[in-house]
Structure formats: structure tokens, C-alpha cells
Amino acid sequence: MMHFILYTLAVSCICVQLAATIAPGESSIPVTCSMRALDLKKELVQVLCPPGCAEQQLSVYGDGIYAAVSSICGAALHRGVLPKNGGMINVHRLPGQQDYPASSANGIQSQSLSRWTSSFSVSKAVSQGLEVSGKPVASQVASTKRLKKTPQKLTGNKDCKAEIAFVIDGSNNIGQRRFNLQKNFVARVSMLLGIGTDGPHVGVVQASEVPKTEFLLKNFTAPRDVQFAVKEISFRGGNSNTGKAIKHTAQNFFTTANGVRKGIPKVMVVFIDGWPSDNIEEAGIVAREFGINVFIVSVAPPAAEELGMVQDIAFIDKAVCRNSSYFSYHVPGWFGTAKHAKPLMQKLCSHEHLLCSKTCYNSVNIGFLIDGSSSVGDLNFRMMLDFMADVVRAFEVSDVGTKVGAVQFTYDQRLEFGLNDHSNKDDVLNALRNIRYMSGGTATGDAINFAVRNLFQPTKDGHNKNFLIIITDGQSYDDVRGPASSAHTSGVTVFSVGVAWAPMEDLKDMASEPKNSHTFFTREFPGLEQITSDLIRGICRDYLDSHK
């Protein structure tokens, strides 16, 4: 309680001192909504924030006293000293501190940050009638609004969408000088990744005696912010307990609360200068169980005379995602690492090689082929859609994970939505709910050809395994054997789900081998619910068999 009172008094005193220090006639500096305090050169300055900052996503760290990496205008909104239509505020640069707490105030949610080298506070300008660059405030704000460009949202490199934790070596093995070179290398790789809201996100854990999370995936989504954050990391020293750091990162770092997005590959890049002090085999097992792709970047491996001090000379093979050269990268030394940044970045961005994060739930394409003939009826058609929704809920739908599409057929075919139309599960479920019943005849053979052509051929260069789930309640008026055989040959695994009058001969003709495990039948539409779990297990079984 006493700490909180002293903290509040300190902030209040700073604001009073600032108001008294800036002269009323001093001109203000127009800034953008996203400009950070670390970009200001003066210790005391008055700035002019434009209108509309409250509608932008701004990075703010702290409460009352803010880390200098925060948006100035965002902090002012959080503090309640800036109206939504913009205006002038006073900014006071302060020394850095160890902890910046998160809080929600005035419609702005600030984030926590463990450490930053400089801080700042904000307060209301002494007079709202000040002139800025010789113009009245109202005129200046209007002028700023006219000249203001819409800020470009840093979406990032969508082809490298991943959650990446850099586990850097902070042990006595590396020392302060090489530690700084390591930070430079990590910053360079981070800049090449294409960090952004829809691209890769990165965080850093330092391995030493006890692992320390330096910053989380959710803390920074702009390359320059990550670069600054890496630069601010302090060397800890101690033993090289890399195994402990890997286990800590696997168990505590990759969580939803820390910013992990659903369906996005998880990657851990572990830097080791020399060799670890502890056993990392168990840590590698834990990381693989969590679906994390562990890469080891080794520098200065033990010399022949030093091997006796190493607990396990095969420590790299036992820690990585797979015992192959793909998941290990050797750098001869910390000097001249620039040429290694791009090759490492390319490995981290190759989704098809991130095998430890691939499961049947996040690496398949599922196409539904739905019978919309007159014999189904509207009520039963809704039950079919509910069945499909139950199947979809089991999978991790994303633009780099599982994809779902749907085709409805009678004598005609209608593409309801393609595999690339919806990049999250909620959108897919909503699209399923909005499918309207067609009614008509039954031409399943033509529909299979249409589905393969319109659902799977546009994604033929992808790496997901293709599945077609045919749901029908009757006999087809056309041949199903030829189209089904063509689908199998093109790499599409077919499950046939029959209801009521669907003949078993047609169902098995359409299904992939072995026919019995790819064919399902229920006499009534409510029975579809009982098929759901067996169908999902069948998809996973086929996925695993294809990767043996």
C-alpha cells in the first residue's frame, strides 16, 4: 500500500513540476499517433497529438510512468490528459525502471514490461490557447488532420506466419562481448522475418542459471520495436542451463495469455555458445510433446580436448524437433554472422518443414460435398449442416493450418465457399450456418468432379492432405465410380456418409480404400451425430498413415 502511495505521489509531483517548467509561449511539436517517447531528444517538451488516435492500435507500456517505447499519444489517452479530438500535452523524459505494470484506463489497455532503459510521464498542457508554429491551436489541429496520412498497419509477412521464441545464451560461456554480438544477430534475423500483426510474432527468453522471459509474443508487432527490445536485454551470466530454459519456454512461454494465436506453428530457436551445463534430452521431449519446432543454433562447439566436460556430445540431435540437419544450424563464430541471418530466416519460414507442429488437426484440407436434393428436406438439411459444424470444431482452422470448403449439389453444383475463403473457425461455422437448401435431383458423379476441380485444384501446390466428405441420402442418377476413381488418383481421400435411402454399393464405390473404414451409414439423419467422432478419427488415422 505504501509503495502505491509513494508511486502515485511521484507521478503527481512530476506532472506539477512539468506544468511549471514549460513556458506558456514555447511552441509545440506536432507528432503522429504512433510516435514514441524514445524518439524525442528533449527532456521536457510539449507535443501536439492529432485527432483519431483513440481509434488506432497503439502500444502503451506502464501506468502513470510509461516505458519510452510507448506511444506518446497512446499514453496520454491512457492517462486521461488527451481528448479524443487531439490536443497538446506535456512530456517529461525519466530514467528507466524495472517494472511497468499493465492497466486499463480511459478505454486504453496498457501492457506490462519487465524493464526499459528510459521512461516518461505525460500531463495536460498549461494553456489550451497556446499557439503552435505561429498558428492558433484549432487551426493547427485542423491542418494536422488535413496533412495526416492514414497510418499503415504493419501486417507483416503472411508467408512466414509463426510464433517464434528466441532462447538466447546468457551464460558465462558466452560472456558480455559475444552476448552483444548474439543480440545483434537475433535483431537482424527478426528484421528479416517480416514481423507484423498478420505475420510472425517473436519473443525472447534468456538462458543462464535461471531462465528469464525478456519479452512476450504479444508485446511487439513492429520490427523496429522488437529491435529496440532486443537491444535493451541485459547479460545475466551463470551456468548454461539450456535444458531448463527449453522446458521453461515450452511450458510457460507458448500460451494464449502470452499472445499465441490458434493454428499458428510454434518455433523455438535455441542459441548455444559451447555446450549446455545440464541435460537437454528431456527438455527436447517436452518441447516436442507441446508441438514446438526446436532449432539449435550452435556456435563454437566443444573442441576435442573439451569433450570430456560435455554431459552428452549428441545434445543437439536430442533437443531438436527432428534428428536431421534441417533443425540445426552451425555458426563458426559471432563475428561475421550477417551472412547467416537470411538462411536461418528461410528455415524458420518454411511451414512445410515445421514437422513438430503438424498434426491431423492443423494440416488437412476438408471439403464437404452436400446433397441438396428434394428427398433430404429442409429440416434434415439443417441436421447435415450441424453434423459438418461438429466435424469442423475438432480442427484448428487458420490461413496456415486446416482449411475447409463446401459444395452443395442436386443436378447442378454450387460452390458455397472455397478452402481459401475463410481463415478461422468462427468464419467457417458462420458460413456453414448460412448455406441455403437448394432442392432438386441427385447427380453425385458430376458433383465429385466439380468439387475436386473447384475445391482442391486451386490448392494443389499446398502441403495439407486433402479429404472429401460426401454426405448423401439417395442413389445418384449418374455414374460415381469414374469421378471417385479420378479423385483418388489426384490425391483426394474420400469418406462417404450415407443416410436413409443411400445405397451401400454407391457409398463404397465413392469411398477410398479400405472401403469399410471410409464408409459410414445411418438410417436416420439424427444418427449423423454418432458418426462424428469416428469420422474425425478416420481423418487423423489417414493423415498419420500418409506420414509414415
Side-chain angles (χ1 to χ4, degrees), residues 272-489:
I272 300 178
D273 187 300
W275 60 91
S277 302
D278 58 351
N279 190 312
I280 65 176
E281 181 176 7
E282 181 185 349
I285 294 171
V286 171
R288 288 191 288 274
E289 287 176 348
F290 276 86
I292 300 167
N293 298 274
V294 176
F295 288 78
I296 298 290
V297 179
S298 60
V299 184
E305 63 273 14
E306 297 172 321
L307 290 176
M309 296 183 285
V310 183
Q311 289 189 28
D312 187 348
I313 59 174
F315 64 86
I316 292 178
D317 292 340
K318 294 178 179 178
V320 293
C321 168
R322 292 286 189 276
N323 183 6
S324 70
S325 59
Y326 190 83
F327 291 94
S328 58
Y329 194 93
H330 177 63
V331 178
W334 288 116
F335 295 95
T337 58
K339 64 183 179 182
H340 298 285
K342 187 174 181 179
L344 178 59
M345 176 275 292
Q346 290 171 334
K347 283 193 172 192
L348 304 183
C349 292
S350 298
H351 284 155
E352 66 273 19
H353 290 106
L354 301 181
L355 302 177
C356 282
S357 59
K358 288 186 176 294
T359 69
C360 66
Y361 299 107
N362 65 18
S363 302
V364 296
N365 294 328
I366 299 175
F368 290 104
L369 185 56
I370 324 160
D371 187 344
S373 63
S374 301
S375 58
V376 174
D378 189 65
L379 180 60
N380 291 333
F381 187 77
R382 304 319 299 179
M383 289 186 189
M384 290 168 65
L385 297 183
D386 290 341
F387 165 67
M388 293 157 56
D390 288 340
V391 173
V392 169
R393 288 189 183 97
F395 293 88
E396 299 173 15
V397 180
S398 73
D399 52 357
V400 296
T402 287
K403 301 176 187 294
V404 180
V407 169
Q408 184 179 176
F409 71 96
T410 55
Y411 283 137
D412 297 317
Q413 307 86 33
R414 184 170 74 198
L415 178 65
E416 302 292 354
F417 56 92
L419 293 172
N420 293 318
D421 287 348
H422 303 294
S423 59
N424 64 72
K425 189 183 302 184
D426 288 340
D427 286 351
V428 169
L429 294 174
N430 188 54
L432 287 174
R433 282 191 293 269
N434 290 329
I435 293 177
R436 291 170 19 174
Y437 177 44
M438 289 173 66
S439 185
T442 308
T444 314
D446 284 347
I448 293 172
N449 287 332
F450 180 89
V452 171
R453 186 169 60 250
N454 291 276
L455 285 178
F456 299 113
Q457 284 188 2
T459 61
K460 63 182 179 180
D461 295 328
H463 303 282
N464 287 2
K465 183 170 175 58
N466 293 324
F467 291 90
L468 180 65
I469 301 171
I470 305 172
I471 312 168
T472 181
D473 83 326
Q475 185 168 12
S476 176
Y477 289 104
D478 62 356
D479 173 62
V480 296
R481 290 185 182 181
S485 177
S486 296
H488 303 159
T489 303

Side-chain angles (χ1 to χ4, degrees), residues 158 160-164 198-201 254 259-267 291 293 351 354 357 362 396-401 423:
K158 293 183 180 180
C160 185
K161 201 168 189 177
E163 313 289 23
I164 302 173
D198 296 331
H201 292 177
F254 289 105
V260 169
R261 297 162 290 178
K262 289 183 179 179
I264 308 302
K266 292 175 285 191
V267 177
N293 298 274
H351 284 155
L354 301 181
S357 59
N362 65 18
E396 299 173 15
V397 180
S398 73
D399 52 357
V400 296
S423 59

